[in-house]
Amino acid sequence: DQQVKQNSPSLSVQEGRISILNCDYTNSMFDYFLWYKKYPAEGPTFLISISSIKDKNEDGRFTVFLNKSAKHLSLHIVPSQPGDSAVYFCAASHMYSGGGADGLTFGKGTHLIIQP
Amino acid sequence: EAGVAQSPRYKIIEKRQSVAFWCNPISGHATLYWYQQILGQGPKLLIQFQNNGVVDDSQLPKDRFSAERLKGVDSTLKIQPAKLEDSAVYLCASSLAGGQAGELFFGEGSRLTVL
């Protein structure tokens, strides 16, 4: 039972254009969402996150949008650069009111390829 | 600041043999995680420690996998006996307790091949 789904295994985008990566989740307890980026032979690195109390979070070229009613989030990268070529994982968690969180539940990842 | 250290980076064993992986988290990080990433899949949580106590090990196959975090710092993950389906990258991650909501810092991983 996949609680976090990334339905596109790969995505090819031209350099300079917008990359949009999508993620859906099924567990209503999730209230914190993150995107991680992974290069080959390296561990995932944190990219951007969003709390369920927000619908948008922006950090430079990266913006994450959350639609709670649809249980859907997306990562927008604009403009896309060659160094953005990597696997992107969507992840979700439930935060405790007193601090701390459950371990992250990850999707299968989307391999983003930026074409020159 | 030193990142999460893991060793060995690569290990090849035959089925039914045993293997152990070591992790040293970022200094001061109270929470430590072990994830298993099978090729083509996302990382799957095996076990979560808070200091030296287990918070969640619901997805750890306890008949063959064990993990400990003595003294609340380093951690080891052991597989005995290994099966073919255990071939994967084992990722260790750490985070501040209650800290920047959910952000985990990952090591480079230990790639296990079971023949």
Side-chain angles (χ1 to χ4, degrees):
Chain A
D1 174 34
Q2 259 198 295
Q3 298 185 68
V4 177
K5 300 178 185 178
Q6 293 177 258
N7 293 320
S8 298
S10 66
L11 175 67
S12 184
V13 174
Q14 204 163 15
E15 181 179 358
R17 307 292 286 265
I18 184 170
S19 295
I20 301 175
L21 294 91
N22 293 303
C23 177
D24 298 291
Y25 62 96
T26 58
N27 189 336
S28 299
M29 292 295 293
F30 289 148
D31 53 13
Y32 203 81
F33 305 90
L34 306 91
W35 285 92
Y36 279 78
K37 177 178 180 179
K38 186 182 184 302
Y39 293 118
E42 295 184 10
T45 56
F46 170 75
L47 191 57
I48 192 168
S49 62
I50 188 167
S51 163
S52 60
I53 62 172
K54 295 185 175 182
D55 56 17
K56 176 183 173 181
N57 188 27
E58 191 172 354
D59 183 3
R61 297 186 297 113
F62 303 92
T63 304
V64 56
F65 295 92
L66 175 62
N67 182 334
K68 280 194 302 181
S69 61
K71 292 191 174 69
H72 177 84
L73 61 154
S74 60
L75 174 68
H76 292 210
I77 306 172
V78 56
S80 300
Q81 298 175 355
D84 296 331
S85 294
V87 177
Y88 289 79
F89 290 102
C90 174
S93 178
H94 171 64
M95 306 298 295
Y96 306 137
S97 56
D102 288 337
L104 298 178
T105 299
F106 284 85
K108 289 186 176 183
T110 296
H111 186 193
L112 176 64
I113 302 161
I114 305 302
Q115 307 274 12
Chain B
E1 180 185 78
V4 176
Q6 289 189 246
S7 68
R9 288 294 311 274
Y10 304 93
K11 189 74 177 179
I12 301 173
I13 61 173
E14 295 190 348
K15 59 183 179 184
R16 291 187 288 274
Q17 287 188 321
S18 63
V19 63
F21 302 112
W22 172 83
C23 172
N24 182 239
I26 292 173
S27 178
H29 281 194
T31 310
L32 184 147
Y33 311 80
W34 282 102
Y35 282 83
Q36 178 193 57
Q37 186 178 11
I38 293 172
L39 188 64
Q41 306 283 323
K44 183 184 93 171
L45 179 67
L46 292 176
I47 190 166
Q48 176 182 350
F49 292 95
Q50 179 76 14
N51 296 307
N52 60 350
V54 175
V55 173
D56 182 1
D57 63 357
S58 58
Q59 298 190 88
L60 187 73
K62 298 180 186 64
D63 57 334
R64 298 182 300 104
F65 285 65
S66 64
E68 60 182 11
R69 191 183 183 197
L70 301 176
K71 301 180 182 178
V73 182
D74 293 7
S75 178
T76 56
L77 175 71
K78 295 179 182 177
I79 308 174
Q80 181 179 14
K83 292 186 175 181
L84 296 177
E85 59 260 36
D86 298 333
S87 293
V89 175
Y90 291 86
L91 293 162
C92 179
S94 67
S95 68
L96 291 167
Q100 179 119 17
E103 180 181 344
L104 273 59
F105 296 83
F106 284 86
E108 293 181 317
S110 295
R111 180 178 294 276
L112 173 66
T113 302
V114 182
L115 302 176

